[in-house]
Amino acid sequence: ELILTITDFVASTLFATAFPLALLIVLLNNYVEMRADLHKILRLSERPVMNVVRGIGLWMTLFDCVGYMAIFTNLALLAFTSNTLDSIVSLSVYDKLLLLVAVEHVVVLAK
């Protein structure tokens, strides 16, 4: 089940700037999937055996890595494809890259 969650998380965060509607689609997909799982658990199966665990293990590291990749990807999309930055100040590609790395470090430190 966590592989589906991480796939939805990757799809919605890595390219949120390019396709903001993806967040709504993923939310709707998760709602439908949750209702289907609820029906399956309540009506079609026996009560599951409870296993006590501490945390989600390696999956949390994967979520963190995807979060950092999403920060860089979305900032890069904004820096190199948006005309807003060009209308404020004219920067070369090298200067945009330096600005991207600086802003990315600030955002990661704030996270």
Side-chain angles (χ1 to χ4, degrees), residues 31-70:
Y31 178 76
V32 170
E33 191 174 315
M34 181 184 65
R35 298 301 294 182
D37 287 345
L38 181 68
H39 174 72
K40 181 174 62 176
I41 289 172
L42 290 178
R43 306 276 188 233
L44 304 176
S45 65
E46 295 178 6
R47 177 177 276 195
V49 178
M50 187 174 78
N51 294 329
V52 179
V53 294
R54 291 175 32 196
I56 60 173
L58 184 62
W59 291 102
M60 192 63 200
T61 305
L62 188 59
F63 278 111
D64 284 340
C65 289
V66 169
Y68 290 124
M69 288 189 309

